[in-house]
Amino acid sequence: MSQEIIDTVAQYLTPSIPIKLISQGAEAVVFSTAVHPYCPMRETASGNEPTQYIIKYRSPKKYRHPIIDKQLTKHRTLSESRLLAKLFLIEHLNVPKLIATDVYNGYIWLEFLGEDLPNNCGYSNLKNFLWMYANDPYNEQVKNTLFEVGKQIGLLHWNDYCHGDLTTSNIVLAKDDNGIDWVPYLIDFGLGSQSNMVEDKGVDLYVLERAIISTHSSFSGKYNQWLIDGFSSIYKAQGKTGAKKLEEVLKRFADVRMRGRKRTMVG
Amino acid sequence: MQLPQFPGTNIEILLYENVSNVDAIRSRVVELPYAFIDASAICSVEQIMSAIYRVMIEANYNRLRTKTLHSEILLALSPTSNIGEAFKRFGLKENTKNLFMIQITQDKTSNVDKTLVKGDIIEFKDESIERMSDIETIKKIYKIDQSLHLKNNTQLSRAVVDAIQLRGL
Ligand SMILES: Nc1ncnc2c1ncn2[C@@H]1O[C@H](COP(=O)(O)OP(=O)(O)OP(=O)(O)O)[C@@H](O)[C@H]1O
């Protein structure tokens, strides 16, 4: 990736905020840092591991007109930040905490979620977590975790929000307060939106199903079932309306899958 | 103190308890080079600090909507862009007992007049602030639904920070 972008970020943040590059997507560059943007007293507080923060930067795109580019950056930075604020207000839904946003320059600061998995299994997103259990794929912890992930998606959809890019990398697991169980968080709402359209929900479910099939194919049948069980449990807790809406979403999910299959057969 | 991103700007924050001369300060608030904030409308360190951060972002990359960085802090604390409302909610009131006195300057050395406010200076930390906050008022100001699940101060503070970061955008 271009040194130019890193230099821009480093200059914006000044040398007092050292950064580590952790991801470069099509849309944004993501860094981590141990420096809080405005609570300096945080850093020395408790714990042995320093607290980490995420900086998500949307860089100017040279192929866009500069004025349009500025507007787009502002719009997308704001839209993701707003969504995180709204989603936090949904009880039991887990999303990263918004720390700061600078829409003029395209920066979002978030709390850092997750940790390194044991035995060099990588960062604790759902994808790496499932890999870690490849030798013990139907372990109770796998089942419970996938059920909980399904519940998170159910909560999101039941409240009429869609993720827009629901891959196994965009689901992050963090240890809960007791330090034993994994709690799933949904991250990266860059393509998220408020939506009551069954189509959007069906597509979310399909994207995740595909992600599970492509990386964990031998166990994907059970895995996807556990996800849908968790998803359904949220709707079923909402009585008749819930049951009816669940049926609509699952039906559309099946339609989307069917369309996907046709496309692969033709194409 | 300084914010890491804005090393040339010095920020002084004093938290006072049992203030006895609020009237005198109120009558001179416009001419004094400080922001005065009623502590009952504040629930955490991060509420104050995230508002100051927002002020610095606006000052450096956009524009100020009020006359000074100090009045801008009150606007930044507010969930709406109505300046009069912001002053009413976060400024000193007749019955204010506890307050924040904040100074933002471009010099490295602080020159805060500690004799101005007659009261006890206490440490700027969450435990002190929580003692002074009026949770119901804060929820009302930020239109945080009473039925909402925000169980503790950490969660309330998070919703408040969200509002501060997103106001008027
Ligand atoms: N809150 C967070 N805590 C920990 N890691 C995070 C957090 N947010 C993002 N990351 C890391 O950064 C990566 C990219 O973040 P994100 O998906 O938000 O950016 P993106 O540019 O939209 O990515 P992509 O285009 O690859 O989907 C994530 O996959 C994750 O590894």
Side-chain angles (χ1 to χ4, degrees):
Chain A
M1 122 141 130
S2 88
Q3 188 59 37
E4 200 185 325
I5 297 179
I6 299 184
D7 290 346
T8 306
V9 176
Q11 195 179 1
Y12 170 85
L13 293 172
T14 82
S16 49
I17 306 181
I19 46 172
K20 202 174 108 200
L21 176 68
I22 57 175
S23 141
Q24 188 198 9
E27 168 77 11
V29 188
V30 176
F31 300 88
S32 66
T33 181
V35 181
H36 191 286
Y38 53 77
C39 285
M41 37 306 235
R42 280 280 155 91
E43 286 140 46
T44 43
S46 72
N48 9 15
E49 290 269 315
T51 311
Q52 296 285 319
Y53 308 96
I54 287 284
I55 302 167
K56 185 165 177 175
Y57 172 59
R58 288 174 162 83
S59 63
K61 303 288 183 289
K62 294 234 168 73
Y63 53 81
R64 294 199 291 240
H65 185 283
I67 295 177
I68 307 273
D69 184 71
K70 251 192 157 358
Q71 286 170 348
L72 263 180
T73 300
K74 179 175 177 185
H75 177 79
R76 291 185 177 155
T77 307
L78 186 54
S79 139
E80 184 170 1
S81 306
R82 257 198 204 126
L83 211 48
L84 287 171
K86 287 189 179 149
L87 296 176
F88 164 61
L89 296 176
I90 296 173
E91 189 166 18
H92 303 308
L93 185 63
N94 304 324
V95 297
K97 170 179 173 166
L98 178 71
I99 296 171
T101 174
D102 170 0
V103 298
Y104 312 109
N105 296 295
Y107 289 89
I108 297 179
W109 290 72
L110 302 169
E111 73 173 310
F112 187 99
L113 296 167
E115 56 187 83
D116 283 331
L117 292 167
N119 310 318
N120 294 319
C121 287
Y123 167 67
S124 62
N125 59 30
L126 182 61
K127 187 189 206 166
N128 293 335
F129 173 84
L130 292 175
W131 278 120
M132 182 173 74
Y133 278 102
N135 294 323
D136 184 13
Y138 300 135
N139 184 296
E140 197 66 11
Q141 203 163 32
V142 175
K143 182 176 176 178
N144 292 341
T145 303
L146 285 168
F147 189 87
E148 289 301 320
V149 170
K151 275 169 67 178
Q152 287 295 308
I153 302 162
L155 274 171
L156 187 73
H157 285 183
W158 170 254
N159 286 285
D160 286 335
Y161 289 94
C162 287
H163 185 280
D165 187 19
L166 202 49
T167 62
T168 43
S169 319
N170 284 337
I171 297 164
V172 167
L173 304 172
K175 284 273 172 67
D176 75 354
D177 295 337
N178 66 25
I180 299 167
D181 294 314
W182 292 102
V183 180
Y185 285 72
L186 303 180
I187 66 162
D188 186 8
F189 284 89
L191 296 172
S193 61
Q194 193 152 24
S195 168
N196 56 8
M197 310 236 294
V198 268
E199 176 71 15
D200 293 341
K201 297 174 187 178
V203 169
D204 262 359
L205 293 175
Y206 179 65
V207 167
L208 183 58
E209 180 179 85
R210 291 303 314 169
I212 298 272
I213 291 172
S214 70
T215 44
H216 314 282
S217 56
S218 328
F219 325 119
S220 61
K222 271 220 163 88
Y223 285 3
N224 282 314
Q225 190 55 52
W226 292 335
L227 284 168
I228 290 301
D229 288 347
F231 181 87
S232 304
S233 74
I234 295 294
Y235 277 74
K236 285 177 182 158
Q238 303 292 338
K240 265 210 178 103
T241 335
K244 186 166 158 282
K245 287 198 168 177
L246 176 63
E247 200 184 306
E248 286 167 15
V249 177
L250 293 183
K251 181 171 178 309
R252 185 59 70 98
F253 174 28
D255 290 349
V256 175
R257 185 194 289 128
M258 192 61 83
R259 296 202 304 257
R261 271 212 199 108
K262 283 208 189 106
R263 225 173 13 245
T264 14
M265 280 192 296
V266 177
Chain B
M1 79 176 99
Q2 282 98 31
L3 296 181
Q5 244 174 288
F6 306 101
T9 304
N10 198 50
I11 302 161
E12 290 297 327
I13 303 175
L14 293 175
L15 175 52
Y16 284 94
E17 195 171 33
N18 302 319
V19 176
S20 58
N21 63 336
V22 169
D23 278 350
I25 296 164
R26 279 182 82 210
S27 62
R28 297 177 53 205
V29 120
V30 190
E31 69 201 65
L32 293 171
Y34 305 100
F36 291 100
I37 295 158
D38 185 321
S40 66
I42 304 300
C43 66
S44 64
V45 167
E46 66 171 4
Q47 181 181 2
I48 292 281
M49 295 310 295
S50 76
I52 294 175
Y53 183 78
R54 177 80 198 266
V55 168
M56 295 308 293
I57 294 290
E58 294 296 323
N60 282 276
Y61 305 116
N62 193 33
R63 64 193 165 88
L64 296 187
R65 278 155 213 269
T66 64
K67 289 213 183 98
T68 67
L69 289 174
H70 296 128
S71 47
E72 200 73 13
I73 298 175
L74 281 95
L75 177 61
L77 281 166
S78 181
T80 71
S81 296
N82 180 325
I83 296 165
E85 224 166 62
F87 280 52
K88 219 172 79 202
R89 285 164 171 165
F90 295 94
L92 303 184
K93 299 165 197 61
E94 235 170 81
N95 60 354
T96 297
K97 280 271 159 300
N98 311 311
L99 61 84
F100 291 91
M101 173 169 162
I102 302 176
Q103 184 189 53
I104 304 183
T105 57
Q106 306 304 321
D107 340 314
K108 284 272 174 198
T109 51
S110 98
N111 54 346
V112 178
D113 180 359
K114 289 192 180 170
T115 62
L116 205 58
V117 177
K118 308 267 179 278
D120 310 321
I121 295 183
I122 57 173
E123 199 185 340
F124 177 51
K125 56 175 190 182
D126 285 337
E127 295 75 40
S128 338
I129 297 172
E130 280 169 29
R131 279 210 322 266
M132 305 171 171
S133 35
D134 177 349
I135 300 295
E136 290 317 307
T137 304
I138 295 171
K139 282 187 173 174
K140 225 180 274 158
I141 292 175
Y142 289 95
K143 298 206 164 51
I144 291 165
D145 195 335
Q146 302 297 319
S147 65
L148 224 56
H149 61 99
L150 306 178
K151 290 171 211 79
N152 51 41
N153 207 61
T154 314
Q155 293 191 320
L156 175 65
S157 178
R158 177 166 166 182
V160 165
V161 167
D162 284 348
I164 289 171
Q165 292 302 308
L166 295 168
R167 177 196 52 81
L169 292 173

